[in-house]
Amino acid sequence: MAAGVNGAAWRLTLNYASGEYKLQLWAMDNTGNWVTGAQIPIQDTSQVIMVENKALANNGWVKLWVNGTLAGTVANVNNDLQTVDNFSLGAVQTIDAGTSSTIYFDAVETYETVQ
């Protein structure tokens, strides 16, 4: 998750239901509303996940890459006022008492491209 209006510019959620893991990408617009992407099924194995964010007036986007393949895009977002200055990994909201698991982060890399 990256900081912006109301504390986030984008977020990536991991969901598990009916024996399947899914990733879902979200983008925050300049009014503080979330624009959601499709749920993307992933395998129950190691994954290389990359999130790419571009803040632009009326046509910004956030892209989800899974194992080097573009898996989803939240596009045409008015997010030019959103900035990324920090992020959080792991469970960032309350998890119900019946949920337990382990998630591993082998490596985390961030970078900024100045254009």
Side-chain angles (χ1 to χ4, degrees):
M1 184 176 352
V5 173
N6 295 332
W10 58 267
R11 67 182 175 196
L12 179 66
T13 57
L14 172 65
N15 303 301
Y16 181 78
S18 302
E20 188 174 49
Y21 289 97
K22 294 181 181 179
L23 294 173
Q24 187 169 24
L25 193 59
W26 306 61
M28 176 75 72
D29 70 15
N30 288 340
T31 64
N33 292 312
W34 285 108
V35 181
T36 60
Q39 291 193 9
I40 308 298
I42 61 169
Q43 300 297 314
D44 185 11
T45 61
S46 296
Q47 307 288 314
V48 176
I49 307 297
M50 185 175 92
V51 176
E52 186 178 6
N53 177 68
K54 184 67 173 181
L56 298 167
N58 301 315
N59 61 350
W61 44 261
V62 182
K63 295 181 180 181
L64 172 64
W65 300 80
V66 178
N67 299 320
T69 301
L70 181 61
T73 302
V74 179
N76 302 316
V77 181
N78 185 16
N79 65 349
D80 63 308
L81 301 179
Q82 303 304 325
T83 60
V84 176
D85 56 9
N86 65 68
F87 66 94
S88 301
L89 297 172
V92 293
Q93 293 182 344
T94 304
I95 297 177
D96 64 80
T99 299
S100 67
S101 188
T102 303
I103 188 167
Y104 297 96
F105 299 100
D106 293 326
V108 176
E109 181 178 331
T110 65
Y111 63 91
E112 179 179 9
T113 302
V114 179
Q115 298 187 17

